[in-house]
Amino acid sequence: MAYLEFRFIGFMYALVFFFVLFVLWYTKRWRRWQGIVILAITIGLGFLIFSPIIPWQFQQIVLRDIQGIGGPIGIAVIGILIMLVLSFLFGRFYCGYLCPVGAVQELSYLVPVPKFRLKNKTIPYLSRWAFFLVFIGAGIMLSQGILSLFGIRDFFNLIFSAAFFVFLAIVGLSFFLYRPFCRFFCPFGALVSIPAMGSRFRIQRTDACIECGKCERACPTNEAKLADLKAECYLCHRCLDVCPVEGALEYTRVGGRVNRLKKKE
Ligand code: SF4
Ligand code: SF4
C-alpha cells in the first residue's frame, strides 16, 4: 500500500475516534479500560503504519518534504488544521488518545512506580515554546528536521539507531514524569495548546464542587484549578476519577454551570 494511503488511514482513524471519544465523554460512558484499548490501538498503528503522527507531519511540512509527507503539502496542512479546529471545539482528544507518541507516554505513566510531579506549568511551557522556535528556525532556514533527534520515526519503525534509544529513554522517563516529550518539546503540542485554551467543551466544576482540592492534586499537568484554561489538559480523566462528589466535575460545554460557580464566590 502506498505511503499516502497509510497517512489517510491514520488520519481517518484519528478523525473517527475523536468523535467516538467526544461522545463517550459527553454522555459519561467513558471507562478507563476503553481509554487503554484506544491507546493500545493508537500505539499499534504507530508501529504498523507510522500514523497518525501529526508532529512528524508538521515537521515534514516545515521542511517542505513532499516525499516525507506522502502527498501534497496542502492536504497535510488541511489535516493539521482540522485537528486544531477539533481541539478548539472539544479539547485535546488527539493528544490524549490518538497520537502514537502521546499514547506510548500515557500508557507508560500508568506503570505503578513513584511519580515526579512539577509544581507549576512554567518550565514545560517555556521549554516547549523555546524548542518550537528552534524547530521552526532550523526547519525553514537550515532545512533541518530536529524532531528526528528524538527518534520518533526510528522508534516506531524499529530502526535501532542512536535516536531510537533517545525515544526509548523518553518512554522510560514517562514511567515517572507525565508525558515529557509532549509537555517539554512537541511543536504540535505547542501549537494545539493555543486553540485548546479556548476549547468549547472541557472539564468544568459545577455548583456541587466542595473545593476539596483532590482534583488539583491528582492532575499531572496542573490544569485542574478553577481558573486553569485547560491548554495542557490531555483528558486523562484523573481529576474526575478522584472527585468525591458526584457531578462536581463535568465534561461539558463552556458557559453553563461553571459560571454560576464563579458568581457564587
Ligand atoms: S503533544 Fe505532540 S506528541 Fe504529545 S500527543 Fe500531542 S501531538 Fe502527540
Ligand atoms: S487530571 Fe483532569 S484537568 Fe488534569 S489533565 Fe487529566 S483530565 Fe485534564
PDB file of all heavy atoms in Angstrom, residues 17-31:
ATOM      1  N   PHE A  17     -12.204   8.435  15.745  1.00  0.00           N
ATOM      2  CA  PHE A  17     -12.104   8.197  17.185  1.00  0.00           C
ATOM      3  C   PHE A  17     -12.148   9.484  17.993  1.00  0.00           C
ATOM      4  O   PHE A  17     -12.476   9.468  19.180  1.00  0.00           O
ATOM      5  CB  PHE A  17     -10.882   7.327  17.508  1.00  0.00           C
ATOM      6  CG  PHE A  17     -11.214   5.866  17.421  1.00  0.00           C
ATOM      7  CD1 PHE A  17     -11.279   5.227  16.193  1.00  0.00           C
ATOM      8  CD2 PHE A  17     -11.536   5.140  18.561  1.00  0.00           C
ATOM      9  CE1 PHE A  17     -11.628   3.900  16.106  1.00  0.00           C
ATOM     10  CE2 PHE A  17     -11.889   3.805  18.484  1.00  0.00           C
ATOM     11  CZ  PHE A  17     -11.939   3.178  17.249  1.00  0.00           C
ATOM     12  N   PHE A  18     -11.821  10.599  17.370  1.00  0.00           N
ATOM     13  CA  PHE A  18     -12.005  11.883  18.050  1.00  0.00           C
ATOM     14  C   PHE A  18     -13.483  12.026  18.434  1.00  0.00           C
ATOM     15  O   PHE A  18     -13.815  12.365  19.578  1.00  0.00           O
ATOM     16  CB  PHE A  18     -11.595  13.028  17.112  1.00  0.00           C
ATOM     17  CG  PHE A  18     -11.154  14.270  17.834  1.00  0.00           C
ATOM     18  CD1 PHE A  18      -9.843  14.714  17.780  1.00  0.00           C
ATOM     19  CD2 PHE A  18     -12.063  15.021  18.566  1.00  0.00           C
ATOM     20  CE1 PHE A  18      -9.444  15.864  18.439  1.00  0.00           C
ATOM     21  CE2 PHE A  18     -11.674  16.164  19.224  1.00  0.00           C
ATOM     22  CZ  PHE A  18     -10.362  16.588  19.161  1.00  0.00           C
ATOM     23  N   PHE A  19     -14.358  11.727  17.484  1.00  0.00           N
ATOM     24  CA  PHE A  19     -15.797  11.862  17.757  1.00  0.00           C
ATOM     25  C   PHE A  19     -16.290  10.762  18.698  1.00  0.00           C
ATOM     26  O   PHE A  19     -17.142  11.003  19.552  1.00  0.00           O
ATOM     27  CB  PHE A  19     -16.589  11.871  16.446  1.00  0.00           C
ATOM     28  CG  PHE A  19     -16.448  13.177  15.722  1.00  0.00           C
ATOM     29  CD1 PHE A  19     -15.672  13.273  14.583  1.00  0.00           C
ATOM     30  CD2 PHE A  19     -17.059  14.324  16.213  1.00  0.00           C
ATOM     31  CE1 PHE A  19     -15.515  14.491  13.930  1.00  0.00           C
ATOM     32  CE2 PHE A  19     -16.912  15.544  15.568  1.00  0.00           C
ATOM     33  CZ  PHE A  19     -16.137  15.630  14.423  1.00  0.00           C
ATOM     34  N   VAL A  20     -15.729   9.559  18.553  1.00  0.00           N
ATOM     35  CA  VAL A  20     -16.107   8.471  19.472  1.00  0.00           C
ATOM     36  C   VAL A  20     -15.773   8.891  20.910  1.00  0.00           C
ATOM     37  O   VAL A  20     -16.595   8.766  21.829  1.00  0.00           O
ATOM     38  CB  VAL A  20     -15.373   7.159  19.098  1.00  0.00           C
ATOM     39  CG1 VAL A  20     -15.531   6.107  20.198  1.00  0.00           C
ATOM     40  CG2 VAL A  20     -15.887   6.617  17.766  1.00  0.00           C
ATOM     41  N   LEU A  21     -14.564   9.414  21.095  1.00  0.00           N
ATOM     42  CA  LEU A  21     -14.149   9.836  22.435  1.00  0.00           C
ATOM     43  C   LEU A  21     -15.031  10.963  22.954  1.00  0.00           C
ATOM     44  O   LEU A  21     -15.445  10.965  24.113  1.00  0.00           O
ATOM     45  CB  LEU A  21     -12.676  10.274  22.414  1.00  0.00           C
ATOM     46  CG  LEU A  21     -11.677   9.117  22.380  1.00  0.00           C
ATOM     47  CD1 LEU A  21     -10.328   9.567  21.836  1.00  0.00           C
ATOM     48  CD2 LEU A  21     -11.507   8.528  23.786  1.00  0.00           C
ATOM     49  N   PHE A  22     -15.319  11.911  22.076  1.00  0.00           N
ATOM     50  CA  PHE A  22     -16.177  13.032  22.496  1.00  0.00           C
ATOM     51  C   PHE A  22     -17.526  12.502  22.994  1.00  0.00           C
ATOM     52  O   PHE A  22     -17.994  12.887  24.067  1.00  0.00           O
ATOM     53  CB  PHE A  22     -16.384  14.020  21.348  1.00  0.00           C
ATOM     54  CG  PHE A  22     -17.490  15.001  21.620  1.00  0.00           C
ATOM     55  CD1 PHE A  22     -17.358  15.963  22.611  1.00  0.00           C
ATOM     56  CD2 PHE A  22     -18.687  14.931  20.909  1.00  0.00           C
ATOM     57  CE1 PHE A  22     -18.399  16.847  22.891  1.00  0.00           C
ATOM     58  CE2 PHE A  22     -19.720  15.813  21.178  1.00  0.00           C
ATOM     59  CZ  PHE A  22     -19.573  16.778  22.170  1.00  0.00           C
ATOM     60  N   VAL A  23     -18.139  11.597  22.230  1.00  0.00           N
ATOM     61  CA  VAL A  23     -19.459  11.070  22.614  1.00  0.00           C
ATOM     62  C   VAL A  23     -19.354  10.301  23.940  1.00  0.00           C
ATOM     63  O   VAL A  23     -20.182  10.468  24.842  1.00  0.00           O
ATOM     64  CB  VAL A  23     -20.041  10.181  21.486  1.00  0.00           C
ATOM     65  CG1 VAL A  23     -21.294   9.456  21.965  1.00  0.00           C
ATOM     66  CG2 VAL A  23     -20.358  11.024  20.254  1.00  0.00           C
ATOM     67  N   LEU A  24     -18.293   9.491  24.073  1.00  0.00           N
ATOM     68  CA  LEU A  24     -18.133   8.731  25.322  1.00  0.00           C
ATOM     69  C   LEU A  24     -18.006   9.670  26.517  1.00  0.00           C
ATOM     70  O   LEU A  24     -18.599   9.442  27.574  1.00  0.00           O
ATOM     71  CB  LEU A  24     -16.898   7.818  25.240  1.00  0.00           C
ATOM     72  CG  LEU A  24     -17.009   6.595  24.317  1.00  0.00           C
ATOM     73  CD1 LEU A  24     -15.666   5.890  24.221  1.00  0.00           C
ATOM     74  CD2 LEU A  24     -18.067   5.629  24.834  1.00  0.00           C
ATOM     75  N   TRP A  25     -17.232  10.730  26.345  1.00  0.00           N
ATOM     76  CA  TRP A  25     -17.044  11.677  27.460  1.00  0.00           C
ATOM     77  C   TRP A  25     -18.308  12.472  27.738  1.00  0.00           C
ATOM     78  O   TRP A  25     -18.722  12.625  28.878  1.00  0.00           O
ATOM     79  CB  TRP A  25     -15.882  12.632  27.135  1.00  0.00           C
ATOM     80  CG  TRP A  25     -14.546  12.082  27.542  1.00  0.00           C
ATOM     81  CD1 TRP A  25     -13.914  10.997  27.019  1.00  0.00           C
ATOM     82  CD2 TRP A  25     -13.690  12.576  28.572  1.00  0.00           C
ATOM     83  NE1 TRP A  25     -12.713  10.794  27.650  1.00  0.00           N
ATOM     84  CE2 TRP A  25     -12.548  11.748  28.596  1.00  0.00           C
ATOM     85  CE3 TRP A  25     -13.758  13.639  29.458  1.00  0.00           C
ATOM     86  CZ2 TRP A  25     -11.498  11.952  29.490  1.00  0.00           C
ATOM     87  CZ3 TRP A  25     -12.707  13.860  30.356  1.00  0.00           C
ATOM     88  CH2 TRP A  25     -11.594  13.017  30.367  1.00  0.00           C
ATOM     89  N   TYR A  26     -18.922  12.954  26.693  1.00  0.00           N
ATOM     90  CA  TYR A  26     -20.081  13.834  26.865  1.00  0.00           C
ATOM     91  C   TYR A  26     -21.266  13.089  27.470  1.00  0.00           C
ATOM     92  O   TYR A  26     -22.023  13.639  28.261  1.00  0.00           O
ATOM     93  CB  TYR A  26     -20.463  14.458  25.510  1.00  0.00           C
ATOM     94  CG  TYR A  26     -21.497  15.540  25.646  1.00  0.00           C
ATOM     95  CD1 TYR A  26     -21.246  16.677  26.436  1.00  0.00           C
ATOM     96  CD2 TYR A  26     -22.732  15.446  25.010  1.00  0.00           C
ATOM     97  CE1 TYR A  26     -22.201  17.678  26.584  1.00  0.00           C
ATOM     98  CE2 TYR A  26     -23.687  16.440  25.150  1.00  0.00           C
ATOM     99  CZ  TYR A  26     -23.409  17.554  25.932  1.00  0.00           C
ATOM    100  OH  TYR A  26     -24.358  18.533  26.074  1.00  0.00           O
ATOM    101  N   THR A  27     -21.398  11.815  27.081  1.00  0.00           N
ATOM    102  CA  THR A  27     -22.520  11.028  27.622  1.00  0.00           C
ATOM    103  C   THR A  27     -22.110  10.288  28.903  1.00  0.00           C
ATOM    104  O   THR A  27     -22.873   9.453  29.399  1.00  0.00           O
ATOM    105  CB  THR A  27     -23.004  10.004  26.577  1.00  0.00           C
ATOM    106  OG1 THR A  27     -21.891   9.151  26.229  1.00  0.00           O
ATOM    107  CG2 THR A  27     -23.525  10.677  25.316  1.00  0.00           C
ATOM    108  N   LYS A  28     -20.911  10.570  29.391  1.00  0.00           N
ATOM    109  CA  LYS A  28     -20.389   9.963  30.636  1.00  0.00           C
ATOM    110  C   LYS A  28     -20.291   8.437  30.534  1.00  0.00           C
ATOM    111  O   LYS A  28     -20.439   7.718  31.528  1.00  0.00           O
ATOM    112  CB  LYS A  28     -21.256  10.351  31.843  1.00  0.00           C
ATOM    113  CG  LYS A  28     -21.305  11.854  32.089  1.00  0.00           C
ATOM    114  CD  LYS A  28     -22.064  12.150  33.361  1.00  0.00           C
ATOM    115  CE  LYS A  28     -22.071  13.623  33.688  1.00  0.00           C
ATOM    116  NZ  LYS A  28     -22.678  14.467  32.672  1.00  0.00           N
ATOM    117  N   ARG A  29     -20.058   7.948  29.348  1.00  0.00           N
ATOM    118  CA  ARG A  29     -19.913   6.487  29.184  1.00  0.00           C
ATOM    119  C   ARG A  29     -18.448   6.068  29.118  1.00  0.00           C
ATOM    120  O   ARG A  29     -18.143   4.899  28.943  1.00  0.00           O
ATOM    121  CB  ARG A  29     -20.610   6.030  27.901  1.00  0.00           C
ATOM    122  CG  ARG A  29     -22.107   6.123  28.001  1.00  0.00           C
ATOM    123  CD  ARG A  29     -22.758   5.313  26.893  1.00  0.00           C
ATOM    124  NE  ARG A  29     -24.168   5.596  26.842  1.00  0.00           N
ATOM    125  CZ  ARG A  29     -24.801   6.078  25.783  1.00  0.00           C
ATOM    126  NH1 ARG A  29     -24.136   6.319  24.680  1.00  0.00           N
ATOM    127  NH2 ARG A  29     -26.079   6.321  25.818  1.00  0.00           N
ATOM    128  N   TRP A  30     -17.542   7.019  29.198  1.00  0.00           N
ATOM    129  CA  TRP A  30     -16.114   6.709  29.105  1.00  0.00           C
ATOM    130  C   TRP A  30     -15.700   5.864  30.308  1.00  0.00           C
ATOM    131  O   TRP A  30     -16.090   6.148  31.442  1.00  0.00           O
ATOM    132  CB  TRP A  30     -15.305   8.006  29.087  1.00  0.00           C
ATOM    133  CG  TRP A  30     -13.840   7.806  28.813  1.00  0.00           C
ATOM    134  CD1 TRP A  30     -13.212   7.879  27.617  1.00  0.00           C
ATOM    135  CD2 TRP A  30     -12.813   7.504  29.775  1.00  0.00           C
ATOM    136  NE1 TRP A  30     -11.866   7.651  27.760  1.00  0.00           N
ATOM    137  CE2 TRP A  30     -11.586   7.411  29.067  1.00  0.00           C
ATOM    138  CE3 TRP A  30     -12.792   7.301  31.157  1.00  0.00           C
ATOM    139  CZ2 TRP A  30     -10.379   7.147  29.691  1.00  0.00           C
ATOM    140  CZ3 TRP A  30     -11.587   7.026  31.772  1.00  0.00           C
ATOM    141  CH2 TRP A  30     -10.401   6.950  31.038  1.00  0.00           C
ATOM    142  N   ARG A  31     -14.933   4.826  30.044  1.00  0.00           N
ATOM    143  CA  ARG A  31     -14.379   3.994  31.116  1.00  0.00           C
ATOM    144  C   ARG A  31     -12.880   3.869  30.876  1.00  0.00           C
ATOM    145  O   ARG A  31     -12.432   3.893  29.749  1.00  0.00           O
ATOM    146  CB  ARG A  31     -15.006   2.585  31.110  1.00  0.00           C
ATOM    147  CG  ARG A  31     -16.515   2.581  31.345  1.00  0.00           C
ATOM    148  CD  ARG A  31     -16.886   2.954  32.785  1.00  0.00           C
ATOM    149  NE  ARG A  31     -18.323   3.035  32.963  1.00  0.00           N
ATOM    150  CZ  ARG A  31     -19.070   4.125  32.786  1.00  0.00           C
ATOM    151  NH1 ARG A  31     -18.494   5.263  32.434  1.00  0.00           N
ATOM    152  NH2 ARG A  31     -20.373   4.115  32.976  1.00  0.00           N
TER     153      ARG A  31
END
